[in-house]
Amino acid sequence: MTSVFVRGFDFGTTEDQLRKHFQDIGAISTVTFQGKGAAIVSFDSEDAAQKAVNTMEGSTIEGNGRYVNVKLDEGAKPKGGRKGGKGERGGRTGPQVIVRGFDFGTTEDQLRNHFDPCGEIEEIRFLGKGEGSAVVKFASEDEAAKAVELDRSTVDGNQRYINVAFDGKGGKGKGGKY
């Protein structure tokens, strides 16, 4: 793999800021944004991608107030990269949101309690090492839309606000509400 998935940076972060943050790791071939707060950074070598994961995980991009998560991009198709907008990723479909920025150590119960007023939660799946990001799957698109309204709220027991955006088939995509 020559690409890494980077998430958790501030909305409004530019490609130039990402390139500057990763410039000492190795030659960057492309930067592809994955909505707000996430991007795929492609390097010219696998060694550079692995070095980015090993050294940049938990770092903060200059001008940002949040740390980033960095992991190898294991073949996920970029959001919006296929004709027709967002598509399925990893075989998962349905009305779901991606939640980023909650405190490390946040439990599934804390997330469930935070999103329970939005509707029936079918699944909560922590991403990466389970630190700061999760996908919450709802029974309906309307329930997921209610969850997106909790963007910039704070989970009980947390210090940081969360970012909530559509994720998965049937989501609002780039034209939707974030």
Side-chain angles (χ1 to χ4, degrees), residues 11-166:
F11 293 173
T13 298
T14 66
E15 180 177 340
D16 287 342
Q17 285 175 292
L18 280 169
R19 285 182 177 275
K20 183 177 179 183
H21 189 67
F22 288 96
Q23 72 184 1
D24 293 336
I25 299 299
I28 298 170
S29 54
T30 61
V31 174
T32 307
F33 283 88
Q34 304 289 291
K36 296 180 179 180
I40 293 176
V41 178
S42 298
F43 293 92
D44 287 345
S45 74
E46 289 181 17
D47 288 342
Q50 189 61 57
K51 182 178 178 185
V53 171
N54 294 341
T55 62
M56 303 305 280
E57 171 69 23
S59 63
T60 304
I61 295 171
E62 186 176 331
N64 276 220
R66 302 174 62 183
Y67 66 89
V68 294
N69 296 119
V70 181
K71 68 174 190 169
L72 287 176
D73 179 41
E74 298 176 357
K77 294 185 188 274
K79 290 182 183 178
R82 292 192 298 178
K83 196 171 187 176
K86 282 187 180 182
E88 299 176 25
R89 290 189 306 157
R92 299 182 299 268
T93 62
Q96 56 191 29
V97 295
I98 186 162
V99 183
R100 295 186 184 103
F102 51 83
D103 293 351
F104 289 0
T106 298
T107 66
E108 182 175 333
D109 285 341
Q110 285 174 289
L111 288 179
R112 191 169 294 279
N113 289 337
H114 191 73
F115 289 101
D116 191 51
C118 300
E120 181 183 344
I121 298 170
E122 293 185 350
E123 177 185 13
I124 295 176
R125 185 176 58 258
F126 287 90
L127 302 174
K129 297 176 185 174
E131 298 175 338
S133 298
V135 173
V136 180
K137 185 175 181 179
F138 290 91
S140 75
E141 187 71 28
D142 289 339
E143 293 168 335
K146 288 178 188 174
V148 171
E149 293 175 10
L150 293 177
D151 186 48
R152 297 194 172 267
S153 62
T154 304
V155 174
D156 281 345
N158 276 223
Q159 299 296 314
R160 302 169 62 186
Y161 70 86
I162 57 173
N163 297 120
V164 184
F166 279 103

